[in-house]
Amino acid sequence: MEDYQLTPLIPAQDLQKHLSAIAERINHDYADKNLVLIGILKGSFVFLADLMRLLRVPVEIDFVRLASYGTRSETSGQIEITKDIELSIEGRHVLIVEDIVDTGTTLAWYMERLQTHQPASIRICALIDKYERRSVEVPLDYVCIRIEKGFVVGYGLDFSEKHRNLPGIYEIQFIK
Ligand code: IMP
Ligand code: MG
């Protein structure tokens, strides 16, 4: 078993402030539209639950679960949908809700897949933009927090399925 420590990065109260700011922008941008939020499981469910309660535009929600094959800490190019959305998004305004964007591989792949359903628009809302390792450009329309690098957990994000329940965001420090 690998040994590690958790260092506090963003307290829960700060997250709520970031969410309020993003929600205001979304409320403004979609003022006269019906929105479909698509959460990418599992990591986005806490973020999506808090975000949607700050939205005043009519919203529907759905979820997709993507599996990617690669090493534990890096996504490979091979991605598969293991649970697809059930709503029809043809002609709809879609906002993808993602926990964290790292290389960008996962979202770029999924956006391309969603385009084939012919939605009216697709935008991305990410809790965290982790930009150092970005290798595929993806348009991140709404971002709460930007970090350069590091592995983070809490508020839905996991390390080997652990720590999703933490109310704030923590950085993992591996002990050699
Ligand atoms: P990407 O395809 O490289 O952008 O990988 C994005 C996915 O990797 C995210 O949706 C997360 O599931 C996972 N991921 C990347 N960095 C972290 C992290 O720091 N903590 C938890 N999960 C992460
Ligand atoms: Mg994810």
Side-chain angles (χ1 to χ4, degrees):
M1 264 266 297
E2 215 162 0
D3 222 1
Y4 59 87
Q5 283 178 340
L6 300 183
T7 312
L9 193 64
I10 302 143
Q13 307 91 287
D14 289 11
L15 284 175
Q16 293 312 313
K17 282 181 221 154
H18 289 294
L19 258 72
S20 298
I22 288 294
E24 279 318 305
R25 288 181 48 209
I26 296 171
N27 281 325
H28 175 266
D29 294 352
Y30 292 90
D32 51 355
K33 300 189 174 80
N34 287 288
L35 192 53
V36 180
L37 301 179
I38 298 182
I40 302 186
L41 292 172
K42 300 177 190 171
S44 73
F45 82 101
V46 178
F47 176 43
L48 188 144
D50 280 349
L51 179 71
M52 71 179 292
R53 282 177 285 179
L54 297 169
L55 298 181
R56 294 186 303 272
V57 294
V59 292
E60 291 169 37
I61 66 160
D62 208 342
F63 292 97
V64 65
R65 176 133 169 81
L66 305 173
S68 64
Y69 302 94
T71 59
R72 191 201 53 202
S73 63
E74 200 161 355
T75 316
S76 74
Q78 255 184 304
I79 301 160
E80 192 185 299
I81 294 177
T82 58
K83 183 244 168 281
D84 210 345
I85 53 167
E86 287 149 39
L87 293 175
S88 167
I89 57 158
E90 192 180 334
R92 305 294 306 275
H93 294 283
V94 171
L95 185 59
I96 301 174
V97 181
E98 174 63 310
D99 53 357
I100 183 164
V101 186
D102 184 10
T103 64
T105 315
T106 309
L107 264 186
W109 183 90
Y110 187 56
M111 267 192 94
E112 213 168 288
R113 280 291 296 256
L114 271 190
Q115 292 288 6
T116 66
H117 294 260
Q118 298 178 301
S121 69
I122 303 181
R123 282 187 183 175
I124 296 172
C125 178
L127 176 67
I128 302 171
D129 172 10
K130 183 165 80 174
Y131 53 86
E132 190 193 57
R133 301 201 298 181
R134 188 70 33 83
S135 59
V136 188
E137 276 316 311
V138 274
L140 301 182
D141 303 282
Y142 307 98
V143 170
C144 285
I145 298 143
R146 294 185 79 235
I147 60 173
E148 192 184 342
K149 55 188 175 189
F151 201 87
V152 293
V153 296
Y155 200 67
L157 286 93
D158 75 307
F159 173 62
S160 296
E161 293 301 326
K162 292 186 183 69
H163 313 303
R164 294 192 197 272
N165 56 309
L166 293 170
I169 305 267
Y170 292 76
E171 186 173 354
I172 288 199
Q173 236 100 48
F174 293 98
I175 302 157
K176 283 144 225 155

